[in-house]
Amino acid sequence: MSSKVISFRFSDAEIQALEALQTEEDSGSLNQTAARLLRGILGISKEVSTGVDINKLVEEKIAAAVGSLQAKLELVEERLGKLRA
């Protein structure tokens, strides 16, 4: 079976996402992580192991965003209150 090297660029955000999906089996290599994930998507491997609870990660990101939004809204309300006074 022959093989070919595939190369492409990732943004900083994409690299961070890829790093979050690394497992011990990837030996710290982003190339191995990407290859493992792509093989899983292509159905070449039976299971895509991320080592990360994606639902928990998404929940944490949403909670952080909501908290940030709430803090900003409180600041706006405070400033509006001062303008009204």
Side-chain angles (χ1 to χ4, degrees), residues 3-65:
S3 64
K4 293 184 179 185
V5 173
I6 298 175
S7 176
F8 47 91
R9 294 189 183 277
F10 273 170
S11 69
D12 289 339
E14 292 166 330
I15 292 293
Q16 288 176 345
L18 193 58
E19 287 171 342
L21 296 171
Q22 282 190 309
T23 64
E24 289 182 14
E25 69 190 56
D26 298 328
S27 304
S29 166
L30 291 177
N31 289 331
Q32 288 183 7
T33 303
R36 176 180 52 79
L37 294 170
L38 284 171
R39 285 184 183 112
I41 291 167
L42 294 171
I44 296 170
S45 94
K46 296 187 186 268
E47 186 177 320
V48 177
S49 169
T50 63
V52 174
D53 183 345
I54 300 297
N55 290 333
K56 183 176 180 181
L57 184 62
V58 169
E59 287 173 4
E60 289 171 358
K61 295 289 185 183
I62 291 172

